[in-house]
Amino acid sequence: MPGNLNAKSWMVAGSGSALIAALLVYPADMLKTRLIVQDVNPSLSHYRGIMDGFRKIWKAEGVLALYKGLLPTFLGRCFLIMISTILPTKN
């Protein structure tokens, strides 16, 4: 591993960066999923576009609705970071 960081430090840094990335991207990903589902099922047609979707979700369900399902996503990313950090260090 580059630098003088041990495997534990790499795991903490990788998990932290995964959390930050997930927090920034997850609301858009969740809205993308809802937009796709409404195209498949016309009876669920609620959103006219991205900004309308964010606005309606925020009003109807609150800001935390934009982060539904974040925990499993974050745990999965942390697991992958842990595996990719630990396996190369074992000899």
Side-chain angles (χ1 to χ4, degrees), residues 34-49 52-53 56:
R34 288 192 183 192
L35 288 169
I36 290 170
V37 169
Q38 86 172 3
D39 284 344
V40 173
N41 189 351
S43 67
L44 296 176
S45 184
H46 297 291
Y47 315 115
R48 291 185 313 238
D52 182 57
K56 286 183 177 178

Side-chain angles (χ1 to χ4, degrees), residues 3 5 7 10 21 29 34 55 64 71-72 74 80:
L5 294 177
W10 276 98
D29 195 38
R34 288 192 183 192
R55 212 175 1 261
L64 292 179
L71 183 62
F74 176 66
L80 290 175

Side-chain angles (χ1 to χ4, degrees), residues 78-91:
C78 288
F79 177 74
L80 290 175
I81 291 167
M82 181 181 69
I83 295 299
S84 65
T85 303
I86 291 175
L87 287 181
T89 60
K90 287 189 175 184
N91 291 327

